[in-house]
Amino acid sequence: MNNQWKTFLESRSAQLDERDNVRFPDAPSVADCALTDLSPLGLIAITGPEAADFLQGQLTNDVRELSPSHTQLSAHCSPKGRMLSSFRVMRIDDGFYLQLPRTRVEATIQRLRMFLLRAKVAIEDAGDRLIAIGLSGDCALALLASRFEALPEQDNGMARSGNLALIRIPGPVPRFQVLGPVEAMESLWDELAAQATPVNADCWSLLDIRAGIPTVYPETSDAFVPQMANLQLIDGVSFTKGCYTGQEVVARMQYLGKLKRRMYLAEVSTDSAPKPGDELHSPSSSSEQASGRVVDARPSGNGRYALLAVVEIEAAENNEVRLGPDGPLLSFKEPPYGFSAGS
């Protein structure tokens, strides 16, 4: 975390205490007006005259579609087509930024640098360069309208106001992320905190889960082909951009394969918190692997947890998937964007 930003938050000790103690009784609703410090998210800067061409050969999405008004979700895959990292990609000024969990920043930088060869590209940890905060709930549009001349109307859209970047995040709850240098973010935080409730980052992750947006953590790196995590359903994969690392496997799955696992929303009641990477089991599964794995999980109140889980389709449809071999039964439903025909 940026030291100046950390000191600033600590100086707002009353807000910080409140933030760390808040737990929504259920999943955050449209009415909740929540302000979140997104320091658990890291940032990778990719710059240089050949940065666009380099990323085009590495990421699942088409970076040519990035613009000052549009961001995108994407992933970096192994040669076997499994996601090593997932992130939001932004083009800000002359550079590209990948936003992903801080726990994946170092490994992702090392992996991408393996493919640099002689490319005129710099790849750096930019986590201290720009601060990220999130604002969600009915209040978001009105509170941000006083700071930004125009708000992004489309999901993943971006608007600029001076040195601040505002991004509209998909999902059933109105939600925005703001990126900017620490000095500008300090004043914005104080302004928003006067009307929004500071909450911990679990609440933001819970909204990601409710929106069906997958996150790759160290525990799930190299575990899922993008289609297993619905990345193709949230505009995170381009099937027309050409070659990139793992592209042959991803394309074969799309056009020639039959998807046997996909990502569902799930809920479970348990005394032990589910974690990314936890195995799921079904008695009817004939696979030598587990029937599924937890992608992400967060408390949703009253001893219940909301999850994203990649699961065998047949097992999920039979409602016979448990957390662990003898654990509690999970209940499943489609993500808010649904499953398209043949997905």
Side-chain angles (χ1 to χ4, degrees):
M1 180 189 292
N2 179 290
N3 288 332
Q4 182 178 339
W5 180 245
K6 180 180 180 180
T7 300
F8 166 77
L9 289 179
E10 289 173 346
S11 72
R12 305 313 195 257
S13 57
Q15 292 180 13
L16 194 62
D17 289 343
E18 183 179 13
R19 184 196 74 176
D20 286 342
N21 289 326
V22 165
R23 292 292 188 276
F24 288 113
D26 296 299
S29 70
V30 173
D32 295 317
C33 188
L35 177 64
T36 312
D37 165 34
L38 298 180
S39 294
L41 296 177
L43 208 59
I44 299 173
I46 300 179
T47 56
E50 298 177 355
D53 290 340
F54 171 74
L55 288 176
Q56 188 71 349
Q58 296 302 321
L59 307 189
T60 59
N61 219 333
D62 192 337
V63 300
R64 295 171 298 186
E65 296 179 0
L66 292 167
S67 73
S69 61
H70 178 68
T71 71
Q72 61 185 205
L73 299 173
S74 193
H76 185 232
C77 295
S78 71
K80 294 183 179 181
R82 294 183 176 261
M83 296 189 296
L84 300 174
S85 297
S86 64
F87 28 70
R88 179 172 299 279
V89 189
M90 301 159 282
R91 188 161 196 169
I92 300 176
D93 299 328
D94 295 329
F96 295 88
Y97 290 88
L98 312 182
Q99 187 181 51
L100 68 169
R102 282 187 182 271
T103 52
R104 287 297 303 157
V105 166
E106 183 177 354
T108 302
I109 289 175
Q110 291 178 356
R111 183 75 183 185
L112 288 173
R113 284 176 175 168
M114 290 173 54
F115 297 92
L116 276 179
L117 302 178
R118 297 180 181 179
K120 298 177 181 178
V121 176
I123 304 175
E124 305 170 289
D125 185 340
D128 288 344
R129 189 179 305 176
L130 296 174
I131 303 301
I133 64 173
L135 184 68
S136 59
D138 268 348
C139 64
L141 290 167
L143 292 183
L144 293 169
S146 63
R147 274 289 191 125
F148 291 82
E149 292 183 3
L151 303 182
E153 296 182 0
Q154 302 296 322
D155 287 346
N156 302 314
M158 181 167 65
R160 299 294 301 276
S161 177
N163 53 9
L164 297 179
L166 176 68
I167 301 164
R168 189 170 193 134
I169 308 299
V173 175
R175 194 160 55 126
F176 293 85
Q177 178 187 256
V178 188
L179 280 163
V182 62
E183 293 81 4
M185 297 301 280
E186 288 174 351
S187 63
L188 180 61
W189 177 274
D190 281 341
E191 181 180 324
L192 296 176
Q195 300 183 62
T197 302
V199 298
N200 66 25
D202 272 356
C203 293
W204 189 263
S205 296
L206 182 56
L207 291 174
D208 276 343
I209 290 171
R210 295 299 189 202
I213 300 175
T215 299
V216 174
Y217 295 100
E219 298 85 352
T220 53
S221 180
D222 205 18
F224 310 124
V225 172
Q227 290 96 323
M228 292 181 185
N230 301 347
L231 205 66
Q232 82 284 10
L233 301 180
I234 53 175
D235 195 27
V237 183
S238 169
F239 295 105
T240 60
K241 60 169 287 185
C243 294
Y244 58 88
T245 302
Q247 181 263 341
E248 289 186 6
V249 176
V250 177
R252 190 181 307 121
M253 172 66 74
Q254 189 70 15
Y255 297 117
L256 301 177
K258 182 178 180 181
L259 193 63
K260 297 181 179 179
R261 296 172 183 244
R262 62 186 177 194
M263 190 177 72
Y264 294 83
L265 286 177
E267 286 194 346
V268 66
S269 294
T270 176
D271 295 330
S272 301
K275 304 180 297 299
D278 282 356
E279 292 188 350
L280 306 175
H281 293 264
S282 169
S284 65
S285 175
S286 59
S287 173
E288 295 181 358
Q289 305 174 358
S291 301
R293 296 182 71 178
V294 174
V295 177
D296 204 353
R298 291 295 185 276
S300 59
N302 301 321
R304 292 188 65 79
Y305 290 83
L307 300 85
L308 288 175
V310 170
V311 186
E312 290 178 332
I313 295 172
E314 182 178 357
E317 292 178 346
N318 290 335
N319 293 314
E320 56 180 12
V321 180
R322 295 183 179 274
L323 185 63
D326 303 308
L329 197 67
L330 278 71
S331 60
F332 294 98
K333 64 179 180 180
E334 293 186 1
Y337 41 80
F339 295 127
S340 61
S343 68

